[in-house]
Structures are given as structure tokens and as C-alpha cells.
Amino acid sequence: MNTIFKPKLFTILKNGISKKQITSDVLAGVVVGIVALPLAIAFAVASGVSPEKGLITAVVAGFLISFLGGSRVQIGGPTGAFIVIVYGIVQQYGVNGLIISTVLAGFMLIAFGVLKLGTLLKFIPHPLIVGFTSGIALVIFSTQIKDALGLTITDLPSGFLEKWQVYISNLGNVNTAALLVTLATIGITLISGKFVKKIPGSFIAIIVVTLVVQLFNIPVSTIETYFGEISNTIHFTIPQIRLNDLQNYLEPALTIALLGGIESLLSAVVADGMISGKHRSNTELIAQGIANVVTPFFGGIPATGAIARTATNVKNGGRTPIAGIAHAITLLLIMLFLGKWAKLIPMSCLAGILIIVAYNMSEWRSFASILKGSVFDIIVLLTTFILTVLVDLTVAIEVGVVLSAILFMKRMADISEKRINNIVDTDVIEDYSQLPKGVSVYEISGPLFFASARRYSEVIQEIGENCTTLILRMRHVSFIDETGMKNLQSSLKILQKQGVKVILSGVSSQLKTDLEKRLSPKVIDYIDMEDSFEKALDYAKSFSNM
């Protein structure tokens, strides 16, 4: 168990940490706590539970994920991705069912970590992740139209298409005041971010809009309208568990566990790229699991790593889990002493914040980029997206994974029938002992696709740390899918920052065209592509002699 569960905080404290870094982490944690405040409330309300449950989740789960996690800078708490899932569980099974589902999901995540499945979750194809993330974003946006327009609809359908039919039929009942509050919230959030860097725009928007609504008595619904007083205390709750009903919660629990695991590891990988670090995936899963087992007993909802808050932490100087702990303590103090005023926040203000969250989640740039790529990636993307919006997230992930595997086999079968015959780099050159000083060679054998992309990426970065020029032999790379391209580009960007010259050798004409089309212009200008190893080696020699 020691090799599986090694929290980063314990390692960092053992190695020592400077007072300057502790101060920087605490300040970053305070900023992230302020960022998390409106989001925690908004996510809870959108999920169909009372606002304090979002705050409790950010406090309890946020503390545990930072204290026990495998990432230096991961910030945990409620996220937008869970809104659709939590809302559906609450509607079908009630809050009691949500508690049971979340606890079961926590145990599943712990099991994933113990069984060392953290690396497997990294193999989820990129088009699949973009598909369900964009789908969730669209669903979140659609759930906020009611409050954004101030519509008084008592029985809103759960289906996506049915929901929009009701919205369209009620356009004549729009509350102009609510619409203006929504637009003002969006405007303040976006504009203030350009002028005030340290305080999040969503926090400024909530303060300003709530004050204006109260001072001028603007007729819009508030949190108090729906939930009454907001509790500023944390209570320990034990759910009513009936063993006969336990099987009903397995599917929603698996959905929470899969989404939580994927999102937390995705966030950790993004954070690694920002700080040039390396998280412990299995430790992170166990920490996420413990957080989801414990938090519901205090009234919380599902939690996972939050990419936006983690990025905010890094940008503000956070480099150790102390920042995440400080963020949780900041939220606890706000909840205890200022939480009672949250009841005055207009629902249309929260709708405006969540519309921005949905936009940021949509990954429309990645979505559009994938649509320009391989037809196989496009099929996975659109299938996952449509199923997430119209059917169910669990079905979308399951179908997406199976479809990715089937399409990969189809792709390999097509390639085996029609070998790529325009690769010049066919010489077997295995003796690298005479390489110039500072030059390293690494060969990618076979297609660079979602199942192998992460490992190749890690190895390329490790080799790049010990050389000045890296030759990547790609004579046997038959194709690169969207996940492989994303990971390759990420590795090349890191090597570029480190000043390592990268030369690709044995690149077929088709692969070269694909790389030039799908890699960013900055990366294309940085690398050199040769059709043979000999040419690549000659270039490396000339480069090393400069």
C-alpha cells in the first residue's frame, strides 16, 4: 500500500519547504477560495440542492483532496461536470440517494487507485473527453435558461429537446429585470477580469449585482425565494440505507466515479504541464475516493479536481498542497461568518455565472479542431456529444470507449491492407554509440493513438531533460489520432521551453501533411522533419556544431 498511496504533501514536508513558498501558497489559497465561493454556490443550486452543500463540499472535499492527494497543486471541490448527474440522482432518488451514490462512488475510486487503474483512465481518447465535456456544457446552459429569463415554470421537463420546447412556448413570459441581471452578471464577470487580476470577475459580479438588486428592490427571484435561510453550520448526517435498494445506486455511483476519476486526472495532467511536475495518479484517485466517502456525511455532494481553480492556484503562485488547504479554510471562514448573506443572491445572477462556466467548459476550439481531423475521431466526438445531450452521460462514455476501440481496429485493418510505401527511413540503424554529444534518439514504434500516447509523451519528456537535441524516429508510425496529436504537441511545447531541438525522422508524406495541418504553427516552426534518419543525424550534427 505504501507504493500506491503516497500523498504529495507528506513528501514535500519531508523534503522541506521554505517560508517564502508557504506564504505564497497561503495567498494563492485565499485567492482560489474567493474564486470558488460563487462557483460552489452556483453548482449546488444548479444541481437541485441547497447552496450550503456546495460550500461544505468545497471545504471538506477540498481539504482532503489537497491533504491526501497525489498532485502538488490540485484544487478539489464541486464542479460543473457533476451538475447534470447530481440533479438527475436527486430527482430520482432524493438527497438520501445522492449521499449513498456518492459514498459508493468514493469506494469505487479508492478501488481504482488500489488496483492501480489510474494509468488506464489516462487512456480515454481525447475526442471522447471533448465530446462529453461539450455535451455537459450544452446541458448546463440549457438548465440555466429558466432562471436567466426569469421564467416561472413549475414543472420543467428533464429531456433536452422537451426542455427547449417549453422555453420557446414561454418566451412571452420573460422577466425583463431577470434578463438584465443575467446580462449584467455576464458583462461584469468578463469585463472586470481585464482590469482586476487578483479578484475573480464572478465574485465581483455577485457582490455588485446583489447590492444593486437589494438597494433598488428589483423584482427577481433570489436564493432565499427557493431555499430560505442558508445554514452556516456543518452537521454529521447518516443516510438511511436499505440493502435491498443498494443495487439501484450502483449505476449512478459508477457514473460519478468514472467522471470524477477522469476529470481529476485530466486536471492533474494540465497542472503538471503548468508547473513541469508529475502527479501520482493512483494516490490522487484514492484521495478523491476518500473525499467522496467522507464529504456526504457532512452534507456535501460529489467532488473532483477542478481544472479552472487548479489553474488559478498555479497562476497565483501555489506550488504545494498547502494552497489547497488554505483555500478550504478560507471558504470555511466565509461560510461561518458571511454565509447568511448568500441568500440575497439573485437566481438570474447565478444563471449568468453558470452560462460563463458552460461556455468555458464547451471546449469549442478543440471541438472545431477535431472536426477538421480524422473521420474516425469525428465519429467518436459527435457520437459522444449527441449521446451526452440527448441520452445519458454514462451511456455516452460506455459507447464512446467501445466505439473508439472498434474504429481503431478498423483503422489498423485498413493500414495492413495498404502499407505506407513512401517512407525512405527503412534502414535498420541500431548502433547509436557514435552520436554527437548532447544528441539522443527515441523511436516510436507503431501508431501514436489514445492507448499509447500518454506513455510515449512521458518518455519523450524524460529523454528531453538529458539532451540538447532529440531525434524522434517515426518510420513505423502509421497514423496519429487526436489524442496522440494532443499529447505529442504538449511534449514538444515542453521541450521547446527547455531549449531542446527536436528533429522528426522517417516521416511519411501523409504523416507530414497531417502534422503540418494539426500541430500549432509555433510547434511546426520549432521542429524539423526529415524523411530519413541519416538526414536527421546530419542535421543534428550541423546543429550541434553551430
Side-chain angles (χ1 to χ4, degrees), residues 161-459:
L161 298 178
E162 293 83 357
K163 193 182 272 97
W164 278 96
Q165 288 176 351
V166 172
Y167 288 151
I168 294 172
S169 63
N170 281 271
L171 286 179
N173 302 319
V174 172
N175 182 336
T176 305
L179 177 58
L180 290 175
V181 167
T182 301
L183 294 175
T185 301
I186 295 173
I188 293 172
T189 301
L190 297 177
I191 295 172
S192 62
K194 298 180 180 179
F195 300 100
V196 184
K197 300 298 182 182
K198 292 295 183 181
I199 304 176
S202 57
F203 183 80
I204 295 174
I206 276 189
I207 298 297
V208 173
V209 169
T210 301
L211 283 174
V212 171
V213 167
Q214 293 300 313
L215 287 174
F216 294 95
N217 198 25
I218 298 176
V220 294
S221 299
T222 64
I223 288 178
E224 186 178 20
T225 307
Y226 290 92
F227 299 100
E229 295 289 331
I230 297 178
S231 174
N232 62 350
T233 58
I234 300 177
H235 301 286
F236 188 81
T237 304
I238 299 178
Q240 296 178 354
I241 302 176
R242 296 177 182 175
L243 295 179
N244 293 336
D245 296 334
L246 208 57
Q247 60 183 6
N248 297 330
Y249 305 116
L250 292 178
E251 184 175 351
L254 181 60
T255 304
I256 293 172
L258 286 175
L259 183 59
I262 292 170
E263 189 169 2
S264 65
L265 295 183
L266 182 63
S267 175
V269 168
V270 171
D272 285 349
M274 296 180 72
I275 65 173
S276 298
K278 191 172 183 180
H279 73 283
R280 297 164 182 163
S281 57
N282 295 310
T283 296
E284 186 64 23
L285 286 179
I286 293 174
Q288 299 282 342
I290 293 172
N292 280 287
V293 169
V294 174
T295 304
F297 289 104
F298 292 94
I301 58 179
T304 186
I307 296 177
R309 275 160 276 171
T310 298
T312 302
N313 179 33
V314 173
K315 290 176 182 177
N316 283 277
R319 291 295 181 274
T320 78
I322 292 174
I325 294 172
H327 133 271
I329 294 173
T330 299
L331 280 170
L332 177 61
L333 294 174
I334 292 174
M335 178 182 173
L336 292 176
F337 298 107
L338 302 175
K340 60 182 179 180
W341 302 107
K343 68 180 181 181
L344 303 177
I345 299 173
M347 294 295 290
S348 47
C349 178
L350 292 181
I353 290 172
L354 285 171
I355 287 173
I356 293 175
V357 169
Y359 174 80
N360 292 333
M361 280 184 64
S362 66
E363 296 197 55
W364 64 270
R365 292 181 180 84
S366 295
F367 198 100
S369 175
I370 295 172
L371 289 178
K372 297 176 183 177
S374 162
V375 65
F376 298 97
D377 291 328
I378 294 173
I379 292 172
V380 173
L381 173 74
L382 295 180
T383 300
T384 309
F385 175 76
I386 293 170
L387 288 175
T388 299
V389 174
L390 300 181
V391 184
D392 177 72
L393 179 61
T394 307
V395 174
I397 294 176
E398 291 171 349
V399 172
V401 170
V402 174
L403 187 60
S404 297
I406 292 174
L407 291 177
F408 169 72
M409 289 187 285
K410 170 70 168 63
R411 205 168 187 176
M412 290 302 295
D414 291 344
I415 289 173
S416 66
E417 293 176 5
K418 184 180 180 181
R419 298 291 297 176
I420 297 177
N421 54 17
N422 57 350
I423 300 178
V424 180
D425 189 17
T426 55
D427 298 328
V428 181
I429 305 175
E430 305 297 347
D431 183 11
Y432 299 139
S433 60
Q434 302 302 315
L435 289 174
K437 184 179 180 181
V439 177
S440 294
V441 178
Y442 181 64
E443 179 157 2
I444 299 176
S445 301
L448 188 57
F449 72 116
F450 65 87
S452 62
R454 175 64 60 190
R455 183 54 189 155
Y456 276 132
S457 177
E458 291 173 349
V459 173

